[in-house]
Amino acid sequence: MAVDYTVIVVYLAGMLAMGWWGMRRAKSKSDFLVAGRRLGPVMYSGTMAAIVLGGASTIGGVGLGYQYGLSGAWMVFTIGLGLLALSVFFSARIARLKVYTVSEMLDLRYGGRAGVISGVVMWAYTLMLAVTSTIAYATIFDVLFDMNRTLAIILGGSIVVAYSTLGGMWSITLTDMVQFVVKTIGVLLLLLPIAVVKAGGFSEMKAKLPTTYFDPLGIGGETIFTYVLIYTFGMLIGQDIWQRVFTARGDTTAKWGGTVAGTYCLVYALAGAVIGTAAKVLYPTLPSADTAFATIVKDELPVGVRGLVLAAALAAVMSTSSGALIACATVANNDIWSQLRGAVRPQGEEHDEVKGNRVFILVMGIAVICTAIALNNVVEALTVAYNLLVGGLLVPILGGLLWKRGTAQGALASVVVGGLAVIGLMATYGILANEPVYYGLLSSLVVYVAVSLATPATDAAVLAAWRDRLAGRSAEPLSEPVPAHQ
């Protein structure tokens, strides 16, 4: 294992070096939070694919393939569909808004009265997303070093917090590009073909497994529908995803770069399911489907390659973890803390804003590590996060983008009723039940439409400013100048 250890250690050291290099580029709030809005198509596509394909998509995707066969691809497939929908239909408009958070978009659209409440919901989502990614370090480091769970979480989490705090989005972008390359080589080009060959090829896999393993709908129609509601719609509105859209240097980059990333996700989904199916042939009686990835890597791959593929799994977890962390800190600082203290930075305090955001990333990072140590169930934590996001924020966000009659009162009522309905229904039906997101989303929609129609339309001046921003005709808010290259 010495060669494998060396590969992992070099990879982790490289992540820290990228963080140090990114620190030199983070000179303003725009640099630190959205990479100066300067990413071209290649970097944008790579980093977007890296953030949406995390530990759940890699380790969990293989586990679903082990349990259900090819239909286990549906979870990651719906993530790719969501990213495609966001890129084709919404990303250009989102990029032109020149904001930093989803709540800022709601404030612009509805007249400045939706920020704190929506910010709290989005903060809870990004915090739990970061926590679930951080918990996954325990699985990977246990395979690598037989490491204690708490120590593994602290080690992996500390590295992510370190490079994220140093350079913000620039560091995260650079590390994500490395992680994207490592994942592509490790999972698609190495693990996928080796797993299929070790399992005897597709003919042998079909001979040894039930036909349901090769049924595209074998996982069940209701499960697929729930995945669409949670993950496809979740991709449309998550702060972690929008913050990457804000990094694009123009409409074309946001649209076509995101389309490439979404297509990559579809391929990655199928690869994970095939690897899991091959693992079922090789190890038909594993105690848990989630151990399929680690088992096939540990037992079937040659020295060196094994280290690279484990680095790929680590890359998948780190990319999602760092993206969720900076999103969580951005929301906590910009949408909650700044609003509650009622202060606006005067012009010329760009460096202080960078320092403040660094502090928030560090504080949120420590909170994420501590929460990850305390929690055990990754699936439940992730389900809570997505249920709150979709049930509380999907309707007012898409309503604001698509329906001009939506009002601030309707948006606030939608967030509150949808969020409370999801929480109450999870307490009643159970966290993993489908009903909370179904009924929470429905109640959010009904309340949004009813209250919006019952209250005066949004002020014409607010809507005019909103349309100007969507069309890219107004400058970036507050003291942030539009970069010269734009």
Side-chain angles (χ1 to χ4, degrees), residues 9 11 52 94 120 127 133 145 164 186 192 297-298 310 322 325 347 363 382 420 459 479 483:
V9 170
Y11 168 76
V52 300
I94 292 170
V120 169
L127 178 72
S133 301
F145 308 117
S164 301
L192 174 60
V297 169
K298 192 172 184 179
L310 286 172
S322 59
L325 176 59
Q347 192 152 347
V363 171
L382 193 62
L420 291 177
D459 185 84
S479 60

Side-chain angles (χ1 to χ4, degrees), residues 420-431 436:
L420 291 177
V422 165
I423 293 170
L425 289 166
M426 283 192 293
T428 302
Y429 288 98
I431 289 176

Side-chain angles (χ1 to χ4, degrees), residues 175-256:
T175 54
D176 276 359
M177 278 305 298
V178 175
Q179 289 159 357
F180 170 74
V181 172
V182 170
K183 276 193 290 191
T184 300
I185 296 172
V187 175
L188 297 185
L189 302 183
L190 292 176
L191 182 57
L192 174 60
I194 290 173
V196 172
V197 169
K198 291 281 187 177
F202 285 102
S203 58
E204 188 71 13
M205 290 162 64
K206 286 184 177 181
K208 290 188 175 181
L209 295 173
T211 56
T212 55
Y213 267 71
F214 302 92
D215 179 359
L217 303 179
I219 199 170
E222 185 179 357
T223 299
I224 295 170
F225 181 67
T226 303
Y227 284 159
V228 170
L229 276 186
I230 294 178
Y231 297 114
T232 300
F233 286 122
M235 287 295 106
L236 297 180
I237 59 174
Q239 169 66 27
D240 51 323
I241 310 302
W242 277 41
Q243 199 156 343
R244 293 310 171 97
V245 176
F246 300 150
T247 66
R249 71 182 178 198
D251 297 359
T252 303
T253 297
K255 183 175 182 178
W256 295 111

Side-chain angles (χ1 to χ4, degrees), residues 409-420:
Q409 294 89 338
L412 286 171
S414 178
V415 173
V416 172
V417 171
L420 291 177

Side-chain angles (χ1 to χ4, degrees), residues 57-77:
S57 300
T58 304
I59 299 170
V62 171
L64 287 171
Y66 182 88
Q67 191 172 359
Y68 299 104
L70 297 185
S71 67
W74 273 106
M75 184 187 78
V76 184
F77 202 83

